[in-house]
Amino acid sequence: MSIFRERQIVKKRRRWMTMLRKVERILISVVIVIAGLTALYGIYVMVCFGDAFAIKRIEIEGDWKYLSAERLATEAAITEGESLFWLSMDDVHARLKNNPWVKATVVRRMLPDTLWIYAEEYRPRAIVFADGFFYTDETGVLFKVPEAGEEKDFPVLSGIKVLEGRKLDDKNSERLLSMLGIISSFEKSAAGLEHGIAEVNFDKERGYSIITREKPMQIYLGHAAAQDAFKMIDDILPEVKKRFARIKYMLANEPERLVVKYQTS
């Protein structure tokens, strides 16, 4: 055999060896990928269909007056044994928000077997009267209609218009917030601490007025700043008490001027 022929055979053998090594590397890579996929599939089956991450505990927390953990657990409609990873957080949020007392919720998976829920409730600040009654919170959200057996000992707000779906237009929303501000300011005043507040009314011509709870009287505030009016009332209140006569109403709708009308009989 010639030297040339031998060199050709050697080159062919080298090419075959190179190709075999490439095929070997490809096969090893394929085996590794298949093994990895098999492992991932096993993990998937274990997580989604096994008991490793099944819900065994449901923890519900919050500072409530009108809600309870038992009621929220029922409304969340979660079954022990469900997979934490199959459970839809959005569905849990939606079911909890169907309760009109629920203001906000947080839902978290706590591995390996716990679902944690935090719920914040609405707190009524007053009751709006407008073709019906509605609870409002301190931010002016009308969140539900008071029902039989529910607490109703709150100031009543009247003179605003509520649209369908418990909505307010901009003007009435502003008036509602002003009324809530009047409640807060009056409750901090000496007159408010003594008499309490039963109702706040808005009238387009007369503006805002208050009806007190104890020894009922009406205080006309007009459209002026309520805090200035309450300070003026507090300053004159000791002198008013000296008359030992029941007050029918007060006109505090003008700056630095207070008119007190007493009952004559």
Side-chain angles (χ1 to χ4, degrees), residues 100 133-135 140-145 162-168:
F133 295 92
F134 309 91
Y135 282 130
V141 175
L142 307 183
F143 61 91
K144 81 179 298 289
V145 174
V162 178
L163 305 176
E164 187 176 355
R166 300 198 297 268
K167 302 297 182 181
L168 299 172

Side-chain angles (χ1 to χ4, degrees), residues 155 186-199 210-219 233-234 236-238 240-241 245-248 250 260 262:
F186 188 65
E187 287 178 341
K188 296 173 184 176
S189 68
L193 291 171
E194 180 176 346
H195 293 278
I197 184 167
E199 181 177 348
I210 290 174
I211 298 176
T212 60
R213 185 184 296 272
E214 302 296 330
K215 299 178 181 179
M217 63 177 172
Q218 193 156 12
I219 303 174
I233 292 170
D234 285 349
I236 201 173
L237 196 60
V240 170
K241 289 181 179 179
R246 186 166 179 175
I247 300 171
K248 185 175 182 180
M250 292 184 181
V260 181
Y262 296 93

Side-chain angles (χ1 to χ4, degrees), residues 19-36:
M19 290 178 62
L20 287 173
R21 291 191 186 99
K22 288 182 178 179
V23 171
E24 183 180 4
R25 286 196 294 267
I26 291 171
L27 289 174
I28 292 172
S29 299
V30 170
V31 169
I32 292 172
V33 169
I34 291 174

Side-chain angles (χ1 to χ4, degrees), residues 202-251:
F202 174 79
D203 180 85
K204 289 183 179 179
E205 294 183 2
R206 295 194 300 265
Y208 298 95
S209 63
I210 290 174
I211 298 176
T212 60
R213 185 184 296 272
E214 302 296 330
K215 299 178 181 179
M217 63 177 172
Q218 193 156 12
I219 303 174
Y220 293 94
L221 303 170
H223 298 275
Q227 290 183 342
D228 294 340
F230 297 148
K231 185 179 184 305
M232 185 167 54
I233 292 170
D234 285 349
D235 290 342
I236 201 173
L237 196 60
E239 294 298 323
V240 170
K241 289 181 179 179
K242 292 179 181 179
R243 301 238 359 213
F244 297 103
R246 186 166 179 175
I247 300 171
K248 185 175 182 180
Y249 64 81
M250 292 184 181
L251 297 179

Side-chain angles (χ1 to χ4, degrees), residues 69-81:
E70 293 77 12
R71 181 176 178 181
L72 290 168
T74 299
E75 291 170 347
I78 301 165
T79 305
E80 289 191 6

